[in-house]
Amino acid sequence: MSDRNVTPDVPQSAQPLCLSNVTKRFGHVVAASDINLNVEAGEFVTLLGPSGSGKSTTLSMVAGFERPTAGRIRIGDRDITDVPTHKRGLGMVLQGYAPHPGDYWRFTVDGLRMLFEDFARVETAFFGNAATASGSPQYLMKNHFSPRVLDLHGLTVTPGLIDTHCHFDETSVLYDITLSEVTSIKDVVELVRKKAATLKPGEWIQGAGWDESKFAERRYVTAADLDAVAPNNPVWLQHTTGHYGVANSAALRLAKITAETKDPEAGIIVRDAHGNPAGVLKETAMNLVYKLVPPYTHDQRRNGLLRIMADFNKEGMTAVKDPGMEPGAWQLYEELLNEKKSTVRIFALVRGGRTLDSARTAFAELQTRPKPPISLGDGMLFSGGVKLFMDGSGGGRTAWVYEPWYKNATELDGTNTGYPNIEPPVYHDMVKLFHDAGYHVSTHAVGDRAIDTVVDTYAALLKEKPTKGLRHGIIHANIPTDHAIDAMAQLQRDYDAGYPETQPPFMWWIGNLYATSFGPKREARLMPYKTYSRKNIIWTGGSDFFVDPFPARYGLWSSVVRKTQTGEQPFGLSESVDIHTALKSYTIWAAHQLFLENRVGSLEPGKDADLAVWDRDLYSIPSDQLKDLKCQLTLLHGQIVYKSSESSLSMN
């Protein structure tokens, strides 16, 4: 960024932190120790006390107040300006609150003269001027503390980047066959052969990431391809989109899939010219095999979660929206949080299924946890709401559209227009269940007809029960109609809802697959970011990992250049945006969809220090270099969670 603005906030440590040698600084972190501060109108002070023990706690540290000459007095999210002076003490306001382990008390006063006499329970404080983006560090440093100083040597700082759609788990990367870089079916077969050689007969072989548009053969992998090298081991290889995969004959036999097996509702068993199962299973048909695959162990999943947290931090990423937890994921998230090993903020959705009964099961699970903006671990873990599926995949041609899909860029796929994953009346009732109870809903919708159905459902239910701030999302929202775009604008303006949660790297990583399926008319409408900007619609960026690689730098780059892996631009540049706008979709706009916009996502006074330091200026480099950005340092809550081995940054 050309301004390199930085807002250091209070780290979870008694030792304060300042960032130096940047163009501007917003505020300064100070240590609290018997300070008498005269805070003028327009200035603020934030105090953070020690982490809670889980027991009822009171903080008695403010001896006296005077009424503010301007602004408001807040403790956390509670405005106490109008509370009688003698009742404003923290002990009065917070008495009975049982913090979660890792919580920090936050006490913000805007435009208030305060006398602090007892700092026995206070670890750190933050001081700055909201109007001028400056503080009084010389006075404070001279009189009260000696901070740590992190010299950034003029490097670029952004807020920590946020992925609003990532299946947050690298267990498969650690233990299965990775096929994302494979360019031929011959190579897929060879990897399966090598894996089979290490296993006993009957043991499963798993893999993920194949994409027929990258294969020299330009076709699906089939059961026949796999049978030659793994006749005695069941094989399941997931497609990169996650909406289809291929099983070998051993796996098909275990699933009892034969020529007589009918397609399940909302699923497809792909068949050869003789009507026999070819091995490829789409959408709900995948469950026929996948339910037989042995689950990962607890330790394997734990390792996969620790791996992706570390890899996120290496990419300057500090928060994620998990769009549908696997069974046991919430317990694992809590486990690492309680062990203080969680280094990424997580906003997790439960899966709502396809029926009202499954929705009620998800609803019951949500009721056991707090709703946003309440979190566990001081903004580290949110039970965010529910995910629903309205349709399928653009690459798999199962998404629900008005006009038929193409199968090779120029030839139509017959009359195939995809299909709804949930019948619209049932979907309406499922959304109503959650909406009426005040839960956030995000719905997967790729095709134009599916997107229309989602926004119309949201609009009808919000008109019936006008609840602002639930921030209902449209996941993917690949090819919205003009009607859907206008509906998004109105929903956002009137209800704080209807937000497209998009994946710009689709245009790169599976762009060639999309180009063969969408056709020219729909390609031009794919991810219409420029139109969103003109309509004052905000959107978010994400990866849908494992569909795409998760580093957010690829999403920033794709938002601007809209290139496929082979360098073509079939989606054109009319809907491209500049890097200033793209960065918002991975920072402040993304933070909004995680109910965290008041804490992270921008560099301004009073926010948490979730920061990423980069090797070059995002605003001045050529657009094609955005994908090559290298993170030098990542901070979460003001603590360093990643430092590049190549970095020369120093702390003193």
Side-chain angles (χ1 to χ4, degrees):
M1 297 170 57
S2 57
D3 288 341
R4 299 185 178 88
N5 300 336
V6 178
T7 307
D9 200 356
V10 183
Q12 293 186 357
S13 167
Q15 188 176 14
L17 168 69
C18 283
L19 303 183
S20 70
N21 197 12
V22 291
T23 305
K24 292 182 181 179
R25 286 189 293 270
F26 282 163
H28 297 271
V29 181
V30 304
S33 176
D34 294 336
I35 305 174
N36 182 0
L37 292 179
N38 182 15
V39 185
E40 303 296 340
E43 295 184 339
F44 67 90
V45 171
T46 298
L47 304 178
L48 299 187
S51 57
S53 63
K55 299 180 179 179
S56 179
T57 304
T58 62
L59 300 182
S60 179
M61 60 184 179
V62 179
F65 295 80
E66 291 180 7
R67 289 195 62 81
T69 57
R72 310 292 293 176
I73 309 170
R74 296 179 179 85
I75 297 179
D77 294 329
R78 304 180 65 174
D79 190 314
I80 63 167
T81 309
D82 300 323
V83 175
T85 301
H86 68 282
K87 293 184 179 180
R88 281 202 208 122
L90 291 183
M92 293 286 187
V93 176
L94 296 177
Q95 190 168 9
Y97 172 68
H100 297 286
D103 274 2
Y104 269 60
W105 299 108
R106 180 179 294 274
F107 176 37
T108 302
V109 180
D110 184 6
L112 178 70
R113 178 180 175 85
M114 302 189 305
L115 175 64
F116 303 112
E117 292 185 345
D118 178 9
F119 279 87
R121 300 293 304 280
V122 179
E123 292 182 355
T124 50
F126 180 94
F127 175 82
N129 186 293
T132 63
S134 64
S136 302
Q138 294 79 12
Y139 168 79
L140 294 174
M141 289 183 186
K142 178 180 179 180
N143 290 279
H144 301 296
F145 72 101
S146 298
R148 294 178 299 159
V149 177
L150 177 60
D151 189 340
L152 298 182
H153 302 292
L155 292 176
T156 296
V157 182
T158 69
L161 301 183
I162 301 169
D163 188 325
T164 56
H165 191 91
C166 174
H167 301 277
F168 198 57
D169 182 3
E170 281 193 282
T171 308
S172 178
V173 175
L174 292 175
Y175 299 105
D176 299 336
I177 301 172
T178 299
L179 301 170
S180 56
E181 301 289 346
V182 175
T183 58
S184 73
I185 292 174
K186 178 182 177 182
D187 290 340
V188 173
V189 171
E190 178 60 16
L191 289 171
V192 172
R193 185 194 66 78
K194 290 180 178 179
K195 186 69 173 182
T198 68
L199 301 175
K200 299 175 182 178
E203 292 184 324
W204 279 82
I205 297 172
Q206 292 189 71
W210 63 274
D211 177 354
E212 68 275 13
S213 72
K214 298 176 183 177
F215 292 160
E217 297 88 346
R218 290 295 191 272
R219 66 171 176 83
Y220 293 155
V221 185
T222 66
D225 295 320
L226 304 174
D227 291 345
V229 294
N232 301 313
N233 296 89
V235 179
W236 175 249
L237 306 179
Q238 189 93 348
H239 190 267
T240 190
T241 63
H243 286 264
Y244 52 108
V246 61
N248 70 343
S249 293
L252 293 174
R253 285 194 297 271
L254 288 173
K256 299 180 181 179
I257 298 174
T258 68
E260 287 71 39
T261 305
K262 294 181 179 180
D263 288 352
E265 184 179 0
I268 297 172
I269 300 171
V270 176
R271 303 169 195 272
D272 64 20
H274 304 289
N276 296 312
V280 174
L281 307 174
K282 295 187 176 184
E283 305 299 348
T284 60
M286 294 188 296
N287 296 333
L288 300 174
V289 166
Y290 191 70
K291 67 183 181 182
L292 304 175
V293 179
Y296 299 116
T297 67
H298 173 272
D299 287 347
Q300 286 175 326
R301 294 187 64 191
R302 178 185 169 92
N303 292 339
L305 181 54
L306 289 169
R307 163 75 177 259
I308 199 168
M309 285 182 175
D311 286 347
F312 251 54
N313 296 154
K314 289 178 183 178
E315 293 290 344
M317 302 172 73
T318 53
V320 67
K321 187 173 186 178
D322 178 345
M325 293 180 286
E326 296 290 340
W330 180 263
Q331 290 73 23
L332 191 54
Y333 290 157
E334 283 192 301
E335 178 181 311
L336 293 188
L337 180 64
N338 292 336
E339 294 177 9
K340 302 187 184 303
K341 293 184 178 179
S342 184
T343 61
V344 175
R345 301 178 191 266
I346 300 171
F347 187 97
L349 305 182
V350 300
R351 296 173 181 258
R354 300 182 58 247
T355 67
L356 264 175
D357 284 343
S358 62
R360 292 186 183 108
T361 299
F363 184 84
E365 181 179 350
L366 287 175
Q367 288 184 302
T368 67
R369 303 170 190 147
K371 294 178 186 175
I374 301 172
S375 66
L376 304 184
D378 190 27
M380 286 298 294
L381 179 59
F382 294 83
S383 175
V386 66
K387 178 187 181 179
L388 302 173
F389 280 87
M390 177 43 62
D391 68 348
S393 162
R397 304 191 297 278
T398 56
W400 196 24
V401 292
Y402 288 108
E403 298 179 6
W405 289 106
Y406 287 79
K407 61 180 180 181
N408 58 12
T410 58
E411 182 184 357
L412 289 175
D413 187 17
T415 60
N416 174 26
T417 56
Y419 48 84
N421 181 63
I422 306 170
E423 289 302 319
V426 177
Y427 171 72
H428 172 278
D429 291 347
M430 293 171 74
V431 177
K432 179 178 174 59
L433 173 69
F434 296 102
H435 172 78
D436 286 357
Y439 286 105
H440 167 78
V441 178
S442 278
T443 306
H444 169 116
V446 169
D448 46 16
R449 192 170 180 183
I451 298 167
D452 278 353
T453 301
V454 170
V455 297
D456 288 347
T457 301
Y458 288 167
L461 291 171
L462 281 161
K463 183 178 181 180
E464 179 182 316
K465 186 178 177 62
T467 307
K468 292 187 177 182
L470 295 182
R471 309 177 187 193
H472 299 326
I474 308 106
I475 295 171
H476 308 312
N478 278 180
I479 44 174
T481 62
D482 290 342
H483 163 75
I485 292 171
D486 289 341
M488 292 173 192
Q490 183 174 358
L491 289 169
Q492 292 189 14
R493 181 182 66 246
D494 295 345
Y495 300 110
D496 190 15
Y499 294 96
E501 299 174 353
T502 73
Q503 292 70 47
F506 279 6
M507 293 182 281
W508 163 59
W509 195 251
I510 57 174
N512 289 325
L513 180 62
Y514 266 27
T516 65
S517 301
F518 279 71
K521 183 178 177 181
R522 282 185 291 241
E523 287 171 358
R525 298 188 65 89
L526 183 66
M527 300 182 205
Y529 297 141
K530 180 67 73 175
T531 298
Y532 287 160
S533 294
R534 288 198 300 267
K535 299 275 188 176
N536 294 317
I537 295 169
I538 72 170
W539 69 93
T540 68
S543 64
D544 200 10
F545 176 82
F546 56 90
V547 176
D548 300 330
F550 56 73
R553 55 192 165 93
Y554 295 132
L556 297 173
W557 170 73
S558 294
S559 298
V560 178
V561 305
R562 298 171 70 91
K563 290 182 179 180
T564 68
Q565 274 202 309
T566 50
E568 288 87 8
Q569 292 174 310
F571 316 112
L573 290 172
S574 63
E575 293 293 349
S576 171
V577 291
D578 61 27
I579 182 57
H580 300 72
T581 305
L583 185 59
K584 291 179 182 178
S585 71
Y586 281 90
T587 53
I588 189 60
W589 294 346
H592 175 272
Q593 283 305 92
L594 273 63
F595 290 69
L596 276 166
E597 73 276 12
N598 292 325
R599 297 194 62 167
V600 302
S602 59
L603 305 178
E604 56 185 301
K607 286 198 170 182
D608 292 349
D610 289 14
L611 306 174
V613 181
W614 303 94
D615 67 337
R616 63 197 86 178
D617 185 341
L618 284 71
Y619 286 178
S620 65
I621 60 176
S623 297
D624 265 327
Q625 289 187 19
L626 290 169
K627 67 180 183 302
D628 302 319
L629 287 165
K630 292 183 179 180
C631 182
Q632 303 297 296
L633 191 76
T634 304
L635 292 90
L636 177 79
H637 278 302
Q639 293 296 298
I640 295 174
V641 292
Y642 169 73
K643 180 180 178 182
S644 169
S645 60
E646 301 174 357
S647 172
S648 61
L649 298 178
S650 60
M651 186 87 74
N652 56 45

